[in-house]
Amino acid sequence: MTLPSLPFKNPLEELIGVSKIAAPCVIVIFGATGDLTARKLFPALYNLALDGQLPAHFACVGFARREKSHEDFRQEMCEAVSQFSRTKPIDDVLWQNFSQQIFYHRSEFDQDEGYEQLNRFLQELDRKLDTKGNRVFYLSTQPSYFPLIIEKLKQHQLVYDADKIQDKWSRVIIEKPFGHDVSSALSLQKEITKHLDESQIYRIDHYLGKETVQNLLVFRFSNPIFEAVWNNRYVDHIQITVAEEIGIGSRGNFWEEAGLLRDIIQNHVMQLLSLVAMEPPININATAIRNEKVKVMEAVRPLSEADLATQVIRGQYAAGLINGKEACGYRQEKNVNPNSYVETYAALKLYLDSWRWAGVPFYLRAGKRLPKRATEIAIFFKNTPSFLYHSRNKKIEPNILVIRIQPDEGISLKMNCKVPGLSQCIQPVKMDFRYGSYFGLAPPEAYERLICDCMSGDNTLFAREDEVMASWRLLTPVLDYWKAVQPKDFPNYPSGTWGPAAADQLLEKDGRHWRLI
Amino acid sequence: MTTADIQIVDIESELARLWDSRQEKDHIKACLCTLVVYTPDSNHAVYLKNIVQAFIEKIPCRIIFIQSDPLRDANFLHVSVSILRGGKVSIACDQIFIEASSSQMSRVPFILLPHLVADLPIYLLWGQDPTTEGVIFPALQAFAARVIFDSSGISDLPAFSRRMCALMDSLKNLDLMDMNWGKISGWRAALSQVFDSALKSQQLRTCKGIQIRYNDKNDGCGQHSEIQAIYLLGWLAAQMQWTLTGQEQEGNRSRLFSYTNRVNAFTVTLLPQTDQALPSGALLQIDVASADNTFFSIAPMCQLPKVMVHISTLEKCELPFTLPLPDLKRGSSLIKTILYDETSEHYRNMLQAIEHVWPF
C-alpha cells in the first residue's frame, strides 16, 4: 500500500514576519485610457515595482477602445507616472525595465473577437513571462459595462470557474459605485455571480486602502485603554465627516445621475462607520473582520418616514468663495441641469441598536465645496458627572478623540488641564500624533495596497456583497424619499461654508454642534 | 548644528537651546524611540553614521552616539549635542555624542541613563559583537527592545557563534538583529523561491558544487567582507542538513568548504571579486550545480532591486526570470529589515552551522 505523499515543506522558507508576496499574474485594466488609470493605477503599479512588491512574473495590459500601440501606451503611462506618482522623479532604469511589462490591447467592450485576441495575447504572455495563467481584471469603466465585460470574460474563458480550476486563478476588481440603489445592486450582483464566485469579486473602496483607515483597527484593538471607553457608557456621540473643497469638476453628467449620497455616503462614510463601530473580530482574517463590519450595517436602525424628514438633511452648493476665489454654484457647473435637485451635501443622524452603541447618535456628513478638505472621525466623550470644575458661566469641555483620515493624518485627544498659576482656571489642550511628523515620507497610496492585496488574494480591504447590500438597504429609502419630495430651498449653502443651516439644526436640537474642523 | 564639548549636566539645556535657535524653527521635532549607537572603532563610526542618517529619515528618534577608542591611552570623556535633520523632510532629531576612552567607559551608562526617552522603545545599534562589550551593553540590555549589531568585524566566527547562541538563550525577551543576516534576507527569500519544489529542493540538497561570489571591496573599515557569504553558506548548510567535512583557503583568499549530504560529497567555494559600485560584502552571484546537471545561476540586476535567475541543463536553458531583492540602501527596506523583521530559528541554525568555520 502506498502512503499518500506529504505536501512539500520548503526548508528554506522562513515563516516569520513574511510580507505578502503577490503571485505571478497579468493585470488587465479595462478603461485604460481613463483618468483613474493615469492618476492612480499606473502610479500605484510603478511604486509597487519600485518597492519590489510586484511579483517577479508580471504584466499589465491596458484594454480600451482607442487605437494605440504598446509604445504609445507606455509613453503615456510614463508621463502619467511622472506627474502623479508619490515618489519623484521617476527612476529611469526601473521604468525602462517595468515598461517592458506594459502592453495595450484595443477592442470594444462588446467585441467577441477582441476578447479572443486578448485571450491569445495573455496566453502568449504566460509563455514569455511565466505569469502562470493568473489574471486580475480591473474594471475601470462605467458601471453599466460591468455585466457585459464579465460575461464576455467568462464566455471567452478569461475568467475561470473557481471550483473547477485550482492551478490558476482569476479575480475581478470592480470600482464603486456598485449599483445605484438596492435593486440595481442586487441586479448587478445577480448578473456577475452568474459568471463569478464571490471569492473572485473585489469591490474596491479606496478609503479602505488608506493607512489611516487601516490604522483604525490597530488603534482600537491594540490599545486597550481606548477600547475600554469605546461604548455608550462613555461616548456621547460620534461625528464622521468627509468634506471636500472641490466641486464636481467636469463630472456633471455623472453627478446628475449619482449625487453625493451614492458617491460618498453609501461607500466611504459607511465603511468608516463600520470600522469605528464594529466589535473586535475573532482574528484578523478577512472573513472575521468583514463579518463584524456587516453586523454594524445590520444594526443600524432603519430610518422611518418621520426620520427621513427630520434626521436626513440634503444640500446643494450655491456660488461662494473657496480659498478666496469665487466659485460657481452647482447649477452653474458644466453638464448640470440649471434646475437640478441633485444633492452635493448630506447629513444623517443614525442609531445602532447594539449593546455597545444603544442610545449613541452617529452624525454623518459629507459635502462638496465645503471650506476645506478633511475626512475625520470625532468621538465625543460624555462629560464628567460631577461639577467639580464647572463654574456658573462656563462648562468643562468634553474630551474629544479625533482620528484624522486626511489630510494631516493623525490622531488627537482633547483634554482639560489646569492653567499654571494661583487660580483654578481650566484650559483645553490637545495631545497630537501626526503621521507625517513621526513616520517621515509619504506612506503607500491606497491603490498600491489594494492592488497588491488583490494579487495576493487577500480581500480584507474590499467590500463584501452583504456589506454593500446592507448599506443600500439603509440608504435606498432616503433616495426614494428625496426623489419623491423635492427640496424647496436648493441651493441652500454657499460654497465655502459648512453646509446648510438645517444640518446645524440637526445637532442643535440635541444640544450638540458640529465640530469645527 | 552641533555644539562644542559641553558639560554632562548641560545636555538637556543645550539641546533645548539648539531647538530654540533660529535655524531649527523650520523643523519639526519628532521622536519615536531612542537609538543608542556604539562603536569602538572610529573608522567604523562613519559607516554607522550613514546608517543613523538613513534611520532617522524613516524613524525620527533621539540618537545617543557613543564612540570609544580602546587603542588610545589617553584619558578623556567628551560630550556634545547636535540636531540631525531627516533628509528632505522637515523633521529633526536630537543627537547626544559621547566620546570616551576605555578608562572612562564605566561612566557612560550613568551619563546616558537620564537621557533615554521614557515610554518609547530603546534600540541598540552595536558596531561590534555585543557579547564582547561588558560595560554599556549589560547596563542597557535590561531596557532595550532590540539590539541591532554589525558582525562584519568579527574574526573568530566559531567563538562568536557560541557566544551569540548563549546570549539568545539568556535574553529571550530581547530581539537580536545581526545586520549581516538582515542584509542577506533578500537572498534567502530569493533562494527559497528558486528552490520551491520538492524536485528543486532535492537538487539543491544533493548538489555537486556551489560557488558564492562576494564583493571584497576594501571600504577602509577593516571589516571582513566574506561574512555575508559565510552566513548564506551556513544557512544553506543548516537548512539542507549538510555536514562540514573540511575547509581550506587558497592563496587569493578563496575559501573552499567540503560538505557531505549523505548521498555525495561536494564543495562550496567562496570567491572574492571586487565591485566598486556595490557595498563591501555584498553577494554578487550564486551558482549551484546539481548532481543531475541542472545549473542554477542567481545574480543581482544592475541598478534594480531584483535578481535574475537562470536555470539550465546540458540540453536546454529555461527562460530567465527575476525575483525581488530589496535594496537595503533605500530607507524603508533598511528600516523594515533592522527594526521590524523578526529573527527566525534559521539564524540560530546558521550560527550552529558556522561554529566550525575557521577564524579569519
Side-chain angles (χ1 to χ4, degrees):
Chain A
M1 182 182 80
T2 45
L3 293 168
S5 57
L6 295 168
F8 170 65
K9 188 177 172 322
N10 188 344
L12 298 182
E13 192 177 8
E14 290 172 88
L15 294 171
I16 42 89
V18 175
S19 303
K20 278 178 223 175
I21 297 173
C25 65
V26 180
I27 293 185
V28 180
I29 301 178
F30 284 80
T33 53
D35 203 45
L36 184 72
T37 304
R39 293 175 73 94
K40 295 292 181 187
L41 302 185
F42 260 90
L45 289 170
Y46 166 77
N47 280 296
L48 286 172
L50 193 65
D51 288 341
Q53 294 297 316
L54 277 187
H57 311 282
F58 172 80
C60 181
V61 180
F63 184 122
R65 289 175 278 202
R66 291 182 212 167
E67 192 68 52
K68 232 182 267 287
S69 67
H70 296 316
E71 270 315 310
D72 291 337
F73 186 59
R74 289 167 186 164
Q75 181 55 37
E76 285 173 18
M77 291 303 106
C78 181
E79 287 164 15
V81 171
S82 299
Q83 189 179 355
F84 297 113
S85 169
R86 64 177 168 88
T87 54
K88 292 183 176 80
I90 200 169
D91 184 321
D92 289 329
V93 175
L94 183 82
W95 181 262
Q96 211 169 343
N97 197 266
F98 174 59
S99 65
Q100 297 311 303
Q101 297 168 288
I102 299 171
F103 305 92
Y104 184 79
H105 180 75
R106 194 208 83 78
S107 174
E108 298 288 335
F109 295 148
D110 59 355
Q111 210 176 44
D112 284 312
E113 197 189 327
Y115 288 88
E116 281 298 319
Q117 287 170 349
L118 176 68
N119 201 1
R120 284 196 294 273
F121 183 60
L122 295 184
Q123 286 173 12
E124 191 189 321
L125 288 178
D126 287 336
R127 280 190 295 275
K128 281 187 182 163
L129 301 177
D130 199 16
T131 42
K132 302 211 188 303
N134 296 326
R135 310 272 183 258
V136 174
F137 297 100
Y138 198 118
L139 305 194
S140 175
T141 66
Q142 295 281 355
S144 53
Y145 286 117
F146 294 167
L148 170 67
I149 293 171
I150 290 170
E151 183 191 338
K152 292 291 181 194
L153 289 173
K154 190 62 189 280
Q155 183 188 331
H156 296 278
Q157 296 172 332
L158 285 151
V159 294
Y160 316 128
D161 194 327
D163 289 334
K164 292 184 184 152
I165 295 184
Q166 306 292 328
D167 59 342
K168 54 188 178 181
W169 48 260
S170 57
R171 298 170 187 146
V172 177
I173 300 179
I174 296 175
E175 272 284 344
K176 71 157 184 86
F178 195 81
H180 55 265
D181 56 21
V182 67
S183 58
S184 62
L186 279 167
S187 174
L188 178 59
Q189 177 69 7
K190 196 172 160 194
E191 280 300 312
I192 64 178
T193 49
K194 277 182 196 168
H195 311 294
L196 295 174
D197 182 67
E198 176 66 21
S199 64
Q200 295 173 288
I201 305 169
Y202 286 67
R203 295 174 199 80
I204 205 165
D205 181 334
H206 71 272
Y207 262 53
L208 293 176
K210 290 180 183 294
E211 284 290 335
T212 39
V213 173
Q214 293 167 51
N215 188 42
L216 262 173
L217 292 182
V218 174
F219 180 75
R220 284 192 59 194
F221 303 129
S222 66
N223 294 299
I225 189 175
F226 293 110
E227 191 55 21
V229 297
W230 210 269
N231 55 63
N232 58 2
R233 289 177 60 195
Y234 299 97
V235 173
D236 178 72
H237 70 280
I238 292 178
Q239 296 179 15
I240 300 177
T241 300
V242 177
E244 294 183 1
E245 64 178 27
I246 58 172
I248 62 161
S250 57
R251 299 166 72 209
N253 287 327
F254 164 78
W255 205 264
E256 283 285 277
E257 296 298 316
L260 186 119
L261 200 81
R262 290 185 177 96
D263 192 50
I264 294 180
I265 302 265
Q266 185 271 331
N267 34 71
H268 302 330
V269 175
M270 287 295 135
Q271 287 292 339
L272 294 177
L273 171 67
S274 58
L275 288 170
V276 86
M278 64 184 268
E279 295 298 322
I282 54 167
N283 56 51
I284 53 167
N285 291 338
T287 305
I289 290 173
R290 299 205 292 179
N291 284 348
E292 295 305 329
K293 286 168 67 189
V294 167
K295 285 183 197 171
V296 171
M297 289 289 101
E298 290 173 349
V300 177
R301 190 183 302 165
L303 294 160
S304 66
E305 190 86 21
D307 293 337
L308 291 171
T310 57
Q311 280 178 211
V312 186
I313 308 296
R314 53 180 159 167
Q316 188 189 86
Y317 63 81
L321 279 176
I322 295 278
N323 290 328
K325 289 187 184 160
E326 285 185 13
C328 67
Y330 174 74
R331 288 175 172 179
Q332 288 78 51
E333 300 273 16
K334 206 173 156 187
N335 297 320
V336 169
N337 181 346
N339 299 311
S340 174
Y341 289 110
V342 171
E343 81 287 358
T344 61
Y345 177 98
L348 300 88
K349 176 180 165 185
L350 298 177
Y351 285 97
L352 266 63
D353 291 328
S354 67
W355 278 77
R356 183 188 285 263
W357 297 115
V360 177
F362 285 74
Y363 299 101
L364 317 179
R365 65 174 168 172
K368 294 279 198 188
R369 283 271 186 244
L370 300 183
K372 56 161 73 164
R373 174 177 172 253
T375 301
E376 64 165 47
I377 301 164
I379 296 146
F380 284 70
F381 291 93
K382 289 180 176 170
N383 229 327
T384 53
S386 67
F387 297 87
L388 287 173
Y389 296 108
H390 290 240
S391 68
R392 207 174 306 164
N393 300 318
K394 201 173 171 189
K395 276 190 177 173
I396 298 297
E397 301 262 348
N399 299 137
I400 308 175
L401 180 73
V402 179
I403 300 163
R404 295 187 301 272
I405 304 296
Q406 63 182 11
D408 193 19
E409 293 83 351
I411 299 170
S412 70
L413 178 64
K414 180 177 161 187
M415 55 188 194
N416 297 299
C417 285
K418 179 184 175 305
V419 176
L422 296 176
S423 61
Q424 199 72 278
C425 295
I426 309 287
Q427 171 68 34
V429 296
K430 267 208 294 197
M431 280 202 301
D432 202 358
F433 157 72
R434 292 185 169 172
Y435 267 87
S437 298
Y438 284 81
F439 292 111
L441 297 176
E445 286 275 340
Y447 280 95
E448 291 172 45
R449 173 72 193 255
L450 295 169
I451 291 173
C452 192
D453 277 5
C454 181
M455 289 192 290
S456 311
D458 183 350
N459 50 12
T460 308
L461 300 179
F462 294 83
R464 205 165 71 183
E465 176 254 331
D466 47 359
E467 276 178 78
V468 173
M469 294 306 162
S471 78
W472 277 126
R473 275 196 293 275
L474 175 70
L475 295 173
T476 298
V478 177
L479 294 168
D480 292 340
Y481 177 78
W482 283 354
K483 196 172 174 183
V485 179
Q486 274 184 356
K488 294 185 176 55
D489 59 349
F490 270 18
N492 57 0
Y493 69 97
S495 294
T497 62
W498 280 107
D504 295 331
Q505 288 152 18
L506 180 68
L507 271 72
E508 281 165 9
K509 64 189 182 200
D510 296 338
R512 301 180 176 107
H513 56 269
W514 289 108
R515 192 177 105 79
L516 185 63
I517 297 173
Chain B
M1 187 174 186
T2 309
T3 62
D5 288 356
I6 59 172
Q7 297 294 320
I8 294 165
V9 70
D10 294 330
I11 288 175
E12 292 295 344
S13 59
E14 281 296 309
L15 279 169
R17 188 185 65 75
L18 284 178
W19 279 107
D20 288 341
S21 69
R22 187 173 294 274
Q23 291 95 313
E24 306 312 324
K25 279 199 169 18
D26 294 335
H27 286 75
I28 301 165
K29 181 179 180 181
C31 182
L32 283 171
C33 60
T34 308
L35 182 68
V36 180
V37 187
Y38 169 74
T39 178
D41 184 342
S42 54
N43 289 329
H44 202 216
V46 173
Y47 165 71
L48 288 177
K49 282 174 183 169
N50 289 337
I51 294 179
V52 165
Q53 187 60 39
F55 195 98
I56 62 172
E57 284 174 14
K58 287 290 176 180
I59 308 280
C61 55
R62 168 168 280 193
I63 313 287
I64 302 178
F65 201 110
I66 307 159
Q67 190 174 316
S68 74
D69 192 344
L71 299 178
R72 282 170 65 181
D73 287 335
N75 187 21
F76 61 91
L77 177 65
H78 304 301
V79 177
S80 60
V81 295
S82 60
I83 307 295
L84 296 184
R85 293 184 189 168
K88 294 175 193 170
V89 295
S90 57
I91 292 169
C93 325
D94 299 337
Q95 175 171 260
I96 302 167
F97 187 82
I98 303 171
E99 199 183 1
S101 61
S102 304
S103 58
Q104 296 291 319
M105 284 304 287
S106 58
R107 296 176 64 194
V108 169
F110 297 96
I111 295 169
L112 55 87
L113 206 57
H115 304 293
L116 301 173
V117 178
D119 298 323
L120 294 176
I122 297 167
Y123 300 116
L124 310 184
L125 178 58
W126 229 245
Q128 64 164 89
D129 176 359
T131 63
T132 57
E133 198 284 320
V135 177
I136 310 172
F137 187 78
L140 287 179
Q141 70 189 31
F143 305 112
R146 191 165 175 111
V147 181
I148 306 136
F149 63 95
D150 188 355
S151 49
S152 302
I154 293 164
S155 299
D156 190 343
L157 277 177
F160 163 74
S161 161
R162 287 189 291 274
R163 288 195 307 270
M164 185 52 62
C165 287
L167 186 68
M168 288 166 75
D169 286 335
S170 66
L171 296 176
K172 288 203 188 312
N173 291 330
L174 183 61
D175 286 347
L176 290 165
M177 170 48 72
D178 181 339
M179 286 186 66
N180 282 307
W181 178 250
K183 284 174 186 173
I184 64 168
S185 62
W187 283 97
R188 297 199 309 276
L191 287 170
S192 172
Q193 290 178 74
V194 171
F195 299 101
D196 64 347
S197 66
L199 171 62
K200 291 204 176 91
S201 186
Q202 184 66 8
Q203 285 173 320
L204 176 64
R205 191 186 304 274
T206 58
C207 68
K208 60 182 182 181
I210 297 178
Q211 277 190 348
I212 302 175
R213 293 175 194 275
Y214 65 93
N215 189 10
D216 71 344
K217 178 176 91 169
N218 184 353
D219 60 2
C221 292
Q223 307 300 301
H224 297 290
S225 54
E226 58 266 68
I227 287 274
Q228 290 177 46
I230 288 178
Y231 272 18
L232 191 81
L233 168 58
W235 172 67
L236 284 171
Q239 298 311 116
M240 289 288 125
Q241 296 176 337
W242 298 333
T243 305
L244 183 67
T245 57
Q247 51 188 303
E248 56 186 283
Q249 181 148 5
E250 292 186 346
N252 66 348
R253 290 180 53 235
S254 299
R255 293 180 72 150
L256 279 76
F257 296 86
S258 302
Y259 283 92
T260 177
N261 53 33
R262 293 183 221 154
V263 172
N264 52 283
F266 63 97
T267 305
V268 179
T269 311
L270 304 191
L271 290 165
Q273 200 172 300
T274 306
D275 187 329
Q276 295 297 339
L278 293 174
S280 176
L283 300 182
L284 302 176
Q285 186 161 328
I286 298 170
D287 296 300
V288 177
S290 73
D292 63 358
N293 291 321
T294 305
F295 303 96
F296 301 82
S297 180
I298 305 138
M301 293 177 71
C302 185
Q303 293 185 60
L304 290 171
K306 293 185 185 190
V307 288
M308 181 76 82
V309 182
H310 292 261
I311 302 176
S312 58
T313 64
L314 295 173
E315 289 87 30
K316 63 172 182 161
C317 290
E318 291 184 20
L319 279 174
F321 60 94
T322 60
L323 292 167
L325 185 74
D327 179 359
L328 290 186
K329 292 191 298 297
R330 290 184 195 280
S332 51
S333 295
L334 174 68
I335 296 308
K336 180 181 171 300
T337 298
I338 69 176
L339 213 55
Y340 298 117
D341 279 358
E342 293 174 39
T343 299
S344 70
E345 270 302 298
H346 287 216
Y347 178 65
R348 182 192 287 270
N349 297 343
M350 181 277 297
L351 286 176
Q352 287 166 348
I354 65 171
E355 214 181 312
H356 303 289
V357 169
W358 291 343
F360 296 120

